[in-house]
Amino acid sequence: MTGSDATPSFRLAYVPGVMPDKWVRIWNERHPGVPLTLTQVPAGAAAGRLLGGDSDAGLVRTPVDRSVFSAIPLYTEQTVVVVPKDHLVTAVDEVAPEDLADDIVLHPLDDVLDWESLPGRPALERPATTADAVELVAAGIGVLVVPLSLARLHHRKDLTHRPLKDAPESSVALAWPEDAKTDQVEDFIGIVRGRTVNSTRGRQQPPARGGSADADRDGARRKPAPGKPAAGKSAGAKRTGKSGRGAPKNDRRGKPRRRS
């Protein structure tokens, strides 16, 4: 926002592989007057975008520098190996690192996994991007280890993937600059954490129009004013007996007395 009268908005960055569609849909339902702008950025560029003020928050991959960012961990992804469909490992449901001992394992420069030592044999050069590495896998040059979401993002009909056990994993978090938490960021935190629109956590929602704040909070019913009937009863309603059919049967009012 550029001024006090500017229309509020929320700018969300996200890294490749992350699918924010569900959260964006909920945002649009709850805040139709606050536009949400989505921007996909490379994983390595997300921190700079947030610190530069180009986005209010980001769906980023961990680790996050907690000296400058606040972050909420969201989920951890399964790690898979991407191979041609005719590769030997497609015969099993799960792959071990030693199963790749004879393969060239590509290591792109934008890799998001924190490896101590890659399995298999190293390539002569590192591909610039994950997309480039996928092209090399399709050409039969080697195999690629990535989080499941990136394997799905770069899906090809001639490639498949299998879970790789004992491999590093990648986690996704919602992060924002520690000193720049806005109302919009707080609202989005509530959405990713699954809070309902009436949740008491986070920012307080204004009371319903025409209603009492105390009544909305406590669910109390209004009492009728003195001298006025309660709702659903008319002022001239007669008292009824247990049968609910008017006056009791032994009511002798209105009958003439016998003369002595």
Side-chain angles (χ1 to χ4, degrees):
M1 293 184 291
T2 58
S4 59
D5 296 330
T7 301
S9 63
F10 182 54
R11 300 165 300 166
L12 180 68
Y14 69 102
V15 297
V18 175
M19 302 297 290
D21 299 15
K22 175 184 176 181
W23 297 321
V24 172
R25 175 178 56 78
I26 296 174
W27 176 276
N28 290 334
E29 291 173 354
R30 295 186 184 179
H31 305 282
V34 183
L36 187 155
T37 303
L38 278 174
T39 305
Q40 180 173 288
V41 297
R49 183 174 183 88
L50 294 176
L51 290 176
D54 297 312
S55 293
D56 299 304
L59 296 169
V60 303
R61 294 193 180 274
T62 59
V64 175
D65 185 353
R66 299 305 290 265
S67 66
V68 292
F69 292 109
S70 295
I72 298 173
L74 298 178
Y75 57 87
T76 298
E77 290 195 65
Q78 183 181 55
T79 301
V80 301
V81 56
V82 179
V83 298
K85 281 193 170 181
D86 58 355
H87 196 283
L88 290 175
V89 300
T90 59
V92 298
D93 294 330
E94 187 178 57
V95 181
E98 53 267 27
D99 296 332
L100 305 176
D102 295 329
D103 288 285
I104 293 176
V105 178
L106 302 166
H107 190 201
L109 295 174
D110 63 354
D111 184 22
V112 297
L113 299 173
D114 187 16
W115 290 100
E116 290 186 3
S117 178
L118 275 171
R121 297 184 293 132
L124 295 177
E125 295 183 2
R126 295 182 64 179
T129 66
T130 297
D132 292 336
V134 170
E135 294 294 329
L136 294 175
V137 175
I141 304 300
V143 300
L144 174 66
V145 180
V146 291
L148 177 58
S149 66
L150 289 179
R152 290 173 172 169
L153 178 66
H154 299 287
H155 170 73
R156 290 174 52 117
K157 292 182 178 180
D158 52 348
L159 301 180
T160 188
H161 58 266
R162 291 291 185 273
L164 180 64
K165 62 182 182 180
D166 300 326
E169 295 177 322
S170 176
S171 296
V172 174
L174 174 65
W176 62 94
E178 193 172 34
D179 58 352
K181 186 179 182 181
T182 65
D183 288 342
Q184 287 72 38
V185 171
E186 181 63 51
D187 288 340
F188 197 76
I189 290 171
I191 289 174
V192 299
R193 282 185 162 173
R195 297 177 194 161
T196 64
V197 69
N198 294 321
S199 172
T200 57
R201 299 185 64 182
R203 289 201 296 155
Q204 293 293 327
Q205 298 295 327
R209 183 178 299 175
S212 165
D214 292 336
D216 290 340
R217 182 173 61 252
D218 301 328
R221 296 182 177 180
R222 291 185 177 181
K223 296 181 179 180
K228 292 185 179 181
K233 296 182 179 180
S234 63
K238 297 180 179 179
R239 293 184 179 181
T240 61
K242 292 183 179 179
S243 65
R245 298 180 180 178
K249 292 182 178 180
N250 61 354
D251 189 352
R252 302 179 63 86
R253 287 178 296 175
K255 294 185 179 181
R257 296 182 180 179
R258 289 185 179 181
R259 296 181 180 178
S260 54

